[in-house]
């Protein structure tokens, strides 16, 4: 009995000796991660794992860093070894798995992982965003993309501003121009230098017969990019909507100066 107690004491001392350096390495990794030093953070988390293979959170953090560093296969390896027990942590695990598979063009695996995340945390904006991106960029199922972008914004609006443009574009494709106007105004406000957002907003205004607003927005797009095809197209058509053919032709001529083929299409669409 005394021998067993002695061995147990040695085990406790040995475990404590490893635990403190592992924690120090983990804490260092978190600090580096928070400073966007992902390579150094990853090295710290790897060290943590080498010191204590049961330090489960280090696997998640290593996987997260690998995703940021575009080491997606490595990310999946670490995340597979991450074994959380509570629902929120499981949701975060599967969002990272979804992201790695999304970047590796493994669409079925990405969709499955994001859906699993929502099983554990039904209001998880990042999971809806992940689904939306896969549907939008890879599978091109636009109705599903719209539904999931809307849910992502509903549950995590303050972090979804970079995706307003994508949703606005989808609304325009879906001919939901009033919705497009609302979300694209937010997209332009979020990123005033985005040519794409200004073009899409100009297009929504054109389709809503808000020609003056369309002219203003098309000119903003042109200021940002002197060779914006959609900008000149919307400008010309808005002027035609106001029966200002001379100004419409000026926009046509500016488009023709750098893209004769597209200008010819525009002229045909204008009825000339």
């Amino acid at each position: 009995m005394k021998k067993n107690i002695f061995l147990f004491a040695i085990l406790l001392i040995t475990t404590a000796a490893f635990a403190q350096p592992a924690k120090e390495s983990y804490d260092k990794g978190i600090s580096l991660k928070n400073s966007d030093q992902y390579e150094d953070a990853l090295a710290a988390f790897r060290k943590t794992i080498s010191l204590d293979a049961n330090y489960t959170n280090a696997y998640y953090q290593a996987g997260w860093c690998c995703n940021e560093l575009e080491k997606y296969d490595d990310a999946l390896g670490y995340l597979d070894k991450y074994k959380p027990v509570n629902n929120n942590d499981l949701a975060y695990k599967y969002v990272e798995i979804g992201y790695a598979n999304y970047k590796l063009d493994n669409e079925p695996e990405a969709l499955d992982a994001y859906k699993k995340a929502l099983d554990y945390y039904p209001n998880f904006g990042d999971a809806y965003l992940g689904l939306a991106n896969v549907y939008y960029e890879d599978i091109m199922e636009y109705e599903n993309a719209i539904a999931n972008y809307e849910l992502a914004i509903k549950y995590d609006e303050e972090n979804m501003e970079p995706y307003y443009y994508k949703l606005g574009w989808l609304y325009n494709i879906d001919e939901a121009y009033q919705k497009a106007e609302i979300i694209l105004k937010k997209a332009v406000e979020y990123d005033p230098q985005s040519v794409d957002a200004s073009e899409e907003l100009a297009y929504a205004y054109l389709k809503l017969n808000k020609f003056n607003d369309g002219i203003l927005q098309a000119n903003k797009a042109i200021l940002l990019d002197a060779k914006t095809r959609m900008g000149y197209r919307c400008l010309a058509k808005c002027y035609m909507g106001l029966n200002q053919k001379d100004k419409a032709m000026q926009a046509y001529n500016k488009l023709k100066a750098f893209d004769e083929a597209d200008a010819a299409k525009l002229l045909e669409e204008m009825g000339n």
Side-chain angles (χ1 to χ4, degrees):
M1 181 62 127
K2 288 182 180 180
K3 183 178 179 181
N4 288 340
I5 292 172
F6 177 72
L7 290 174
F8 182 67
I10 291 175
L11 180 61
L12 286 177
I13 292 168
T14 304
T15 301
F18 278 97
Q20 187 59 33
K23 184 179 185 306
E24 289 174 357
S25 180
Y26 180 81
D27 290 345
K28 179 181 178 181
I30 294 295
S31 178
L32 289 164
K33 175 190 169 188
N34 291 339
S35 299
D36 299 337
Q37 300 178 60
Y38 302 131
E39 284 282 7
D40 292 336
L42 177 59
F45 295 130
R46 283 174 170 164
K47 182 179 178 180
T48 303
I49 292 166
S50 71
L51 290 168
D52 183 355
N54 294 318
Y55 209 115
T56 186
N57 287 343
Y59 291 103
Y60 171 79
Q61 298 296 345
W64 190 97
C65 287
C66 284
N67 271 342
E68 288 297 308
L69 294 166
E70 301 181 7
K71 299 177 180 180
Y72 304 117
D73 285 314
D74 289 345
L76 290 173
Y78 283 116
L79 292 164
D80 183 58
K81 295 176 182 177
Y82 175 50
K83 306 296 183 182
V85 294
N86 71 65
N87 284 356
N88 276 6
D89 288 344
L90 283 161
Y92 277 94
K93 169 182 175 170
Y94 282 108
V95 159
E96 291 300 320
I97 290 173
Y99 182 78
N101 278 299
Y102 159 61
K103 300 303 285 188
L104 290 168
D105 295 325
N106 299 330
E107 291 89 0
E109 292 85 351
L111 292 175
D112 181 64
Y114 286 130
K115 289 174 182 178
K116 282 182 179 176
L118 289 169
D119 287 340
Y120 292 110
Y121 181 11
N123 298 343
F124 199 176
D126 281 351
Y128 287 115
L129 175 63
L131 287 171
N133 283 335
V134 175
Y135 285 126
Y136 172 78
E137 296 177 13
D138 297 336
I139 302 177
M140 291 183 285
E141 293 182 5
Y142 292 151
E143 286 187 13
N144 282 329
I146 288 172
N148 282 284
Y149 279 130
E150 288 175 341
L151 287 167
I153 290 170
K154 175 181 177 180
Y155 291 117
D156 192 14
E157 183 168 6
E158 65 182 79
N159 292 313
M160 296 300 158
E161 291 177 331
Y163 303 95
Y164 288 157
Y165 161 72
K166 287 184 178 180
L167 181 55
W169 184 89
L170 287 166
Y171 281 145
N172 273 340
I173 290 293
D174 202 40
E175 299 182 5
Y177 302 120
Q178 290 181 330
K179 289 184 177 181
E181 176 190 358
I182 293 168
I183 202 70
L184 288 166
K185 281 181 178 178
K186 293 182 179 181
V188 169
E189 182 179 349
Y190 166 72
D191 185 2
Q193 301 304 308
S194 171
V195 179
D196 292 337
S198 288
E199 289 175 342
E200 287 298 322
L201 181 53
Y203 182 78
Y205 283 137
L206 169 64
K207 290 297 185 177
L208 290 168
N209 294 330
K210 295 184 176 182
F211 301 125
N212 287 315
D213 290 328
I215 289 167
L216 179 64
Q217 202 61 50
N219 278 323
K220 286 183 179 179
I222 291 164
L223 282 174
L224 293 168
D225 180 4
K227 293 187 176 181
T228 162
R229 293 174 178 83
M230 180 178 268
Y232 284 114
R233 281 178 150 275
C234 290
L235 186 62
K237 289 184 177 181
C238 282
Y239 277 128
M240 288 296 291
L242 294 172
N243 295 315
Q244 297 181 25
K245 186 174 180 180
D246 288 346
K247 290 184 177 180
M249 290 304 295
Q250 289 175 14
Y252 155 79
N253 284 323
K254 288 181 179 178
L255 176 60
K256 184 179 178 183
F258 64 88
D259 192 332
E260 290 191 8
D262 201 37
K265 293 178 184 176
L266 171 61
L267 194 63
E268 184 178 346
E269 292 167 12
M270 289 165 53
N272 291 290

